[in-house]
Amino acid sequence: MRKLFVLFLLFSFTLLKAQSMMIDNMDSSAVKAKYQANVEGSKSRIDFTDIHTGMKDGLGALKVKYVIGEYNKWGSYANAIYKAPTGTTMNWAAYDTINIYYKVLMAPKHPEYMVFRMHLGDKPTDDASVEEWIYENAVLIDAATTDYIKLKIPLYERPQNSDGSLAPDATGFTLFPTTWGGGNYNNRKPDFDKIAQFNLSAVVSGWDPNANLPADSVEVVYDRLELTGARAIPYLLFNGKVMNSALGSGWSWGQSAMTILDNAGPTGKEKAIKWTHGDEWNNGYTGIGWDISPAWNMAGSFIKDTLQFQYKAEPGIGQLRAQWESANGKSGILFTPIADNAWHTIKLPLKNFSFRDNAPKADSSAINKFGLMTQGTSTASKGKSIYITYMWTGNPVVDVVPPEPVKNLAVTQQKNYNKITWSDVPGESGETYFIYASKSPITDVKAKSVEVVKAGLARGVQTVDHLLFSPVISQSQSYYYAVVCQDAAGNLSTIAAISTATTNDAKGVATVAVGAPINFKADGDLSEWTGNLSPFLMFPSKGVFWSPTVKANTGDSDLSVTSYIFLDTQNLYVAFDVTDDYVFPSSMSNSYENDSPDLFIGLYDSRGAKHQGDLKSGKEP
């Protein structure tokens, strides 16, 4: 996918705080079969042995004997491969160095032909090929050593040749050269956050034709393979289209309200987060936030990057706080927005996030929450709003290319519902799918006649049921279907639609009756209601009941409901006939806590996008 870099490049020579992550302590790698042998020819092999004396660190070390037989005239290899569990990858992006201790027990006979290599295999999406990036050291295993040596491998992409022919060396990682042949490729960029496997390899570039087979061999002991250093990873929280998928749907507290509005950004084309202040406890504190899962490693970012976003604040918005949290700590910063109903950009250096409410400092390598809150000022700003868009740290890469349209869209008829299936778009990760239905062919998913069957389905679901209902009596209905893919950056694919309708039987359900009940009196006698229409039935025996209480519902005589709803030009008429074996009146103010029926009714066209957040009233509520 084509990417655009946001705004500018920032060069920094700031010393980064040390951090580390163990990849393999090598204590029992052989017995646990952590590494697989991958060699060429029957004369080649790798022997793995755990040793528990003479190790550098911990309880053991791994001895690897590489035997490389004569196979190709240009040489051959022996790879010790570590693979992440199926369906998973390793995230190394927050580090800048790979460290491993090694000791050469037996040197090669012809060191001039022997090199050490480390291959990293990335897999950015589940359906991508594993793409290899190579580090090569020509002298590392040439001679026997009496003690362990610490090898530091830069976790760095070397600038590539335009034709992909750059040969590997010891200054970083290069893409498997295209001139070698046999390489697999995906996006030709090192995805250090999606490492699927790595190799510790011995490679010969030829052999002495007068020597006895095998061509050569070397014996190396490895110990403590780890990642160190800190890389400042850019994090994109909101790109003017969608929130980062790691942030979920968000939350609010203290009577704050949060919604994402279309066309509310600086140019009128972007989306914006609208945060309306509350003041639930009359103390001036209220806020919004997001859980981050999986947690972000921001150790490098906290040293050199900034949090920046664009905002528009109503007059009266006072001092605010931005805050990052880890499992047992928090780090915040206070700022006062310019409250003039105009758009501004603010940049908050992450190294200055020091406000903590007497809590421990957040662990910057495991950030799991981000929030915004008022700093004791919402008493004055209650009901006022601030709009926020384009929120990120560092200089993230923004995806601007729409995903490919969905393929293999199909519909199968079931009893009173249609099952819709599709295939996920190849090459995407973190995308979601939106399924639509209409009584007419779908060319515009925002058309009033189009119904949203399901929104925001994750990759891997690939199926959804469209339940079919009809007023009062069962009858056949015909629907057309379509699906749109939205990638993780908010780009939408073109519509994939089925051009023929699917006809199936829809289940008849009760409806609101038009007109007033005959001889209506609000006297508790429901005789005038019965016989006029099919009532709404909430009976466990009919499979249309859900009890939110901790006490299990044992049947219709325990708790069931027959209800009627009529509607004329002036009034809404509602009757409930409830069978309940126990009634528990209490002093609780909420009706649902006081054994009372609740009625929720929405008077709007249910087709199209669902109505949520920022509810309004007027001539057309």
Side-chain angles (χ1 to χ4, degrees), residues 511-529:
T511 65
V512 173
V514 177
I518 298 174
N519 300 319
F520 168 74
K521 292 181 179 180
D523 55 5
D525 180 355
L526 305 187
S527 58
E528 72 268 30
W529 298 76

Side-chain angles (χ1 to χ4, degrees), residues 69-248:
E70 185 177 336
Y71 189 73
N72 297 311
K73 64 181 180 179
W74 54 83
S76 193
Y77 58 81
N79 300 323
I81 304 178
Y82 180 105
K83 293 185 177 181
T86 302
T88 68
T89 56
M90 299 172 285
N91 187 349
W92 295 5
Y95 305 88
D96 61 20
T97 305
I98 304 170
N99 292 333
I100 187 169
Y101 289 95
Y102 76 96
K103 180 165 65 173
V104 180
L105 299 182
M106 182 185 72
K109 294 178 180 178
H110 295 280
E112 67 274 20
Y113 297 135
M114 181 80 75
V115 300
F116 168 85
R117 285 185 189 153
M118 185 174 193
H119 291 219
L120 302 183
D122 70 19
K123 190 178 175 70
T125 61
D126 292 341
D127 49 14
S129 299
V130 174
E131 181 176 87
E132 291 187 88
W133 294 79
I134 306 172
Y135 163 91
E136 177 178 298
N137 192 309
V139 299
L140 183 74
I141 54 178
D142 282 359
T145 60
T146 57
D147 202 356
Y148 285 91
I149 297 173
K150 185 177 183 179
L151 172 64
K152 296 183 177 182
I153 302 175
L155 194 56
Y156 162 75
E157 177 196 2
R158 296 172 55 208
Q160 304 297 306
N161 295 340
S162 59
D163 62 355
S165 63
L166 184 67
D169 67 13
T171 63
F173 287 87
T174 186
L175 183 64
F176 191 103
T178 54
T179 52
W180 288 7
N184 293 318
Y185 303 95
N186 46 63
N187 59 12
R188 296 178 183 263
K189 297 291 293 182
D191 296 288
F192 292 137
D193 61 334
K194 297 287 185 179
I195 301 297
Q197 64 184 54
F198 64 84
N199 302 1
L200 301 174
S201 305
V203 181
V204 295
S205 57
W207 58 83
D208 181 354
N210 299 315
N212 295 324
L213 296 179
D216 213 338
S217 60
V218 64
E219 194 169 80
V220 184
V221 178
Y222 297 112
D223 202 357
R224 192 176 180 84
L225 175 60
E226 65 179 353
L227 298 168
T228 63
R231 187 196 311 274
I233 303 172
Y235 287 100
L236 184 59
L237 287 80
F238 183 61
N239 66 356
K241 295 180 182 178
V242 294
M243 298 297 300
N244 189 310
S245 59
L247 272 63

Side-chain angles (χ1 to χ4, degrees), residues 170-354:
T171 63
F173 287 87
T174 186
L175 183 64
F176 191 103
T178 54
T179 52
W180 288 7
N184 293 318
Y185 303 95
N186 46 63
N187 59 12
R188 296 178 183 263
K189 297 291 293 182
D191 296 288
F192 292 137
D193 61 334
K194 297 287 185 179
I195 301 297
Q197 64 184 54
F198 64 84
N199 302 1
L200 301 174
S201 305
V203 181
V204 295
S205 57
W207 58 83
D208 181 354
N210 299 315
N212 295 324
L213 296 179
D216 213 338
S217 60
V218 64
E219 194 169 80
V220 184
V221 178
Y222 297 112
D223 202 357
R224 192 176 180 84
L225 175 60
E226 65 179 353
L227 298 168
T228 63
R231 187 196 311 274
I233 303 172
Y235 287 100
L236 184 59
L237 287 80
F238 183 61
N239 66 356
K241 295 180 182 178
V242 294
M243 298 297 300
N244 189 310
S245 59
L247 272 63
S249 58
W251 36 263
S252 60
W253 56 274
Q255 292 181 334
S256 274
M258 174 173 58
T259 188
I260 296 179
L261 301 180
D262 292 333
N263 307 318
T267 69
K269 297 180 180 179
E270 310 90 342
K271 294 184 179 182
I273 303 164
K274 181 184 180 182
W275 169 26
T276 302
H277 294 182
D279 190 25
E280 184 171 1
W281 304 290
N282 298 313
N283 62 359
Y285 287 91
T286 185
I288 59 174
W290 296 266
D291 294 321
I292 302 174
S293 180
W296 288 350
N297 187 335
M298 302 182 71
S301 304
F302 263 62
I303 296 168
K304 61 181 294 186
D305 279 348
T306 62
L307 169 69
Q308 70 176 55
F309 54 87
Q310 294 186 37
Y311 71 89
K312 181 179 72 172
E314 289 187 47
I317 297 290
Q319 190 177 49
L320 304 178
R321 187 198 311 180
Q323 184 163 283
W324 304 94
E325 297 183 25
S326 61
N328 298 306
K330 58 178 68 172
S331 295
I333 191 171
L334 305 181
F335 66 98
T336 302
I338 301 171
D340 61 355
N341 261 333
W343 282 97
H344 302 275
T345 297
I346 190 168
K347 298 181 180 180
L348 304 171
L350 294 179
K351 65 182 180 181
N352 293 344
F353 277 65
S354 57

